[in-house]
Amino acid sequence: MGQGLWRLARNQQLQHQGYSGQGYLTREHGRRIATSNVSNTSHRKQAQGGIDIYHLLKTRKSKEQEGFINLEMLPPELSFTILSYLNATDLCLASCVWQDLANDELLWQGLCKSTWGHCSIYNKNPPLGFSFRKLYMQLDEGSLTFNANPDEGVNYFMSKGILDDSPKEIAKFIFCTRTLNWKKLRIYLDERRDVLDDLVTLHNFRNQFLPNALREFFRHIHAPEERGEYLETLITKFSHRFCACNPDLMRELGLSPDAVYVLCYSLILLSIDLTSPHVKNKMSKREFIRNTRRAAQNISEDFVGHLYDNIYLIGHVAA
C-alpha cells in the first residue's frame, strides 16, 4: 500500500515537471530544434564574415590529423597562449614539432617576465645575439644556484649581465621572483641589510588592516623560526614602513612606529598562542586587550579587539 502511494505521487511529480512520455518527447524535440537553430546561426555568422572558432578549428583539421589540431594552423596569439603553459623542458620538446612557434622570441619573453618580473637586462639595449630563450635558461640556472648558495646565485646573475650590482636592483629582482627558496633568501637578507632596506620600501601597505599587512610582509620576507635580533629588525622596519604608508590613519589613531612595533609583537605572540597545539589555555580577548593596552596605553579597546578577532578568524600572521 505504501509503495503504491509512493509510485502515484512520483508519477504525478514527473508529469508536473514535464518528464512523462509525451512531455519528454516534447522536450527532446525542442532540444533538437534549438540545436538546429544554433547550427543555422553559426552558418549565418560564417556567411556574414563573423568568427566561429569551432567552425575554424573543424575546417582546419586535415583528414590525416583527425582529433589533433596543428598549432601552426591556429592564430599565433592562441598558439602562444597554449605553449605558454609549458615549462622550458617541454617547450624544447615541442620545438621538435612546432619549431617556429616554440622558438618564437615573444613566447620566451613572456615566460621570462611572468616568472622573473624584474631584471636589469629588461631595461637595457639587448647585446648582439641576445635571445630570450637563452635568457630563460640562464635565469633558471641562476635560481637553482641561488637556492643552493645565495651569494653564488647573485654573482651568477651579475656575471651574465642579468642584474646590476645595486642593492635596489637586487631587491626588485627578489620582490618580483617566486622561484627563490625562502630559507636561503632569509639567510641572504640577514647578511645583506642594504638589500633588505630597499626590499621593505617596495611594499605598499596603504589602507591595509595591520594584521593583513603583516601577513603580506612575511610572505615576501619570511620571519625567522626563533626570536632574536633579526626578527626585531624586521618588525622595526615594517612598523616604520606601515606608518609611512598610512600617515592619516596613524594621526587618527594616535599611533607611532614604536606603538605599531608593540602591536606587531603582540600579534605574533597571540598567533603562536592561538595556533599552537601545545598551548592548552588559550589567551582570551579580554586578556589580550588588557596586556596590549598595558604596553601601548593610547590604543583604544575597540581597535585592539578587532586585532584579536582577525587573528582568531584568519590565523597566524607569520605562517
Side-chain angles (χ1 to χ4, degrees):
M1 181 68 179
Q3 292 182 355
L5 292 175
W6 182 88
R7 290 194 188 98
L8 179 60
R10 182 59 177 167
N11 290 336
Q12 290 178 351
Q13 182 181 6
L14 290 175
Q15 290 176 4
H16 177 70
Q17 293 178 350
Y19 284 95
S20 62
Q22 182 178 359
Y24 179 81
L25 293 175
T26 303
R27 284 172 175 251
E28 185 65 23
H29 181 64
R31 284 197 197 96
R32 290 175 181 172
I33 294 176
T35 305
S36 177
N37 290 338
V38 171
S39 177
N40 293 335
T41 302
S42 65
H43 285 300
R44 285 199 299 272
K45 286 184 178 179
Q46 185 72 18
Q48 295 171 1
I51 298 177
D52 189 337
I53 297 297
Y54 174 76
H55 186 74
L56 175 65
L57 301 182
K58 185 176 180 181
T59 55
R60 287 193 176 189
K61 282 196 296 184
S62 63
K63 292 183 179 180
E64 295 79 12
Q65 294 179 329
E66 287 187 1
F68 182 78
I69 301 171
N70 188 350
L71 293 182
E72 294 179 349
M73 301 296 291
L74 300 176
E77 297 82 0
L78 182 56
S79 301
F80 292 157
T81 301
I82 295 172
L83 291 177
S84 67
Y85 288 97
L86 304 180
N87 56 33
T89 302
D90 292 335
L91 272 176
C92 290
L93 294 175
S95 65
C96 298
V97 180
W98 301 293
Q99 185 172 2
D100 294 337
L101 287 173
N103 292 332
D104 194 283
E105 280 293 280
L106 287 176
L107 175 61
W108 288 98
Q109 179 180 356
L111 289 173
C112 287
K113 293 188 175 181
S114 63
T115 308
W116 299 274
H118 176 83
C119 294
S120 303
I121 198 172
Y122 293 161
N123 302 319
K124 299 178 180 178
N125 293 326
L128 185 64
F130 174 81
S131 166
F132 274 103
R133 179 178 179 177
K134 180 180 178 181
L135 177 62
Y136 185 99
M137 302 303 176
Q138 291 175 339
L139 285 167
D140 188 57
E141 179 67 22
S143 297
L144 293 175
T145 304
F146 184 97
N147 293 338
N149 187 310
D151 291 326
E152 290 184 6
V154 173
N155 291 335
Y156 176 88
F157 289 130
M158 293 179 182
S159 66
K160 300 298 182 181
I162 297 174
L163 277 182
D164 292 340
D165 189 4
S166 163
K168 185 173 292 185
E169 286 296 299
I170 298 174
K172 288 181 180 179
F173 175 80
I174 292 173
F175 185 78
C176 299
T177 302
R178 298 293 177 267
T179 60
L180 305 179
N181 182 274
W182 63 271
K183 292 184 179 180
K184 298 294 184 180
L185 182 59
R186 185 174 62 191
I187 296 173
Y188 180 77
L189 293 176
D190 191 11
E191 297 173 352
R192 291 291 305 269
R193 298 298 176 92
D194 53 343
V195 176
L196 177 61
D197 290 338
D198 288 315
L199 184 58
V200 172
T201 59
L202 293 175
H203 290 81
N204 183 11
F205 302 122
R206 183 171 178 80
N207 295 329
Q208 290 191 28
F209 193 38
L210 180 60
N212 297 333
L214 197 57
R215 287 189 187 93
E216 179 183 334
F217 179 74
F218 283 133
R219 272 196 295 268
H220 288 94
I221 307 174
H222 293 270
E225 297 176 354
E226 64 284 335
R227 303 179 202 173
E229 184 270 338
Y230 182 54
L231 178 60
E232 295 176 358
T233 299
L234 290 181
I235 298 177
T236 300
K237 293 182 181 299
F238 169 81
S239 301
H240 284 84
R241 182 59 183 166
F242 184 82
C243 292
C245 293
N246 299 279
D248 297 336
L249 178 64
M250 295 302 101
R251 284 194 296 268
E252 179 182 345
L253 298 176
L255 296 178
S256 64
D258 292 338
V260 174
Y261 176 92
V262 172
L263 291 177
C264 291
Y265 226 107
S266 299
L267 291 173
I268 293 174
L269 296 177
L270 177 65
S271 299
I272 297 173
D273 185 274
L274 294 181
T275 59
S276 175
H278 304 292
V279 179
K280 301 302 180 181
N281 298 321
K282 305 296 184 182
M283 184 182 299
S284 67
K285 186 173 182 179
R286 180 174 300 177
E287 290 173 335
F288 177 73
I289 293 174
R290 183 178 66 249
N291 295 339
T292 303
R293 294 198 67 204
R294 187 179 300 168
Q297 300 178 357
N298 294 331
I299 304 174
S300 67
E301 288 190 11
D302 290 340
F303 182 74
V304 180
H306 290 319
L307 296 177
Y308 182 94
D309 294 338
N310 183 280
I311 303 299
Y312 184 85
L313 295 174
I314 299 179
H316 208 302
V317 293

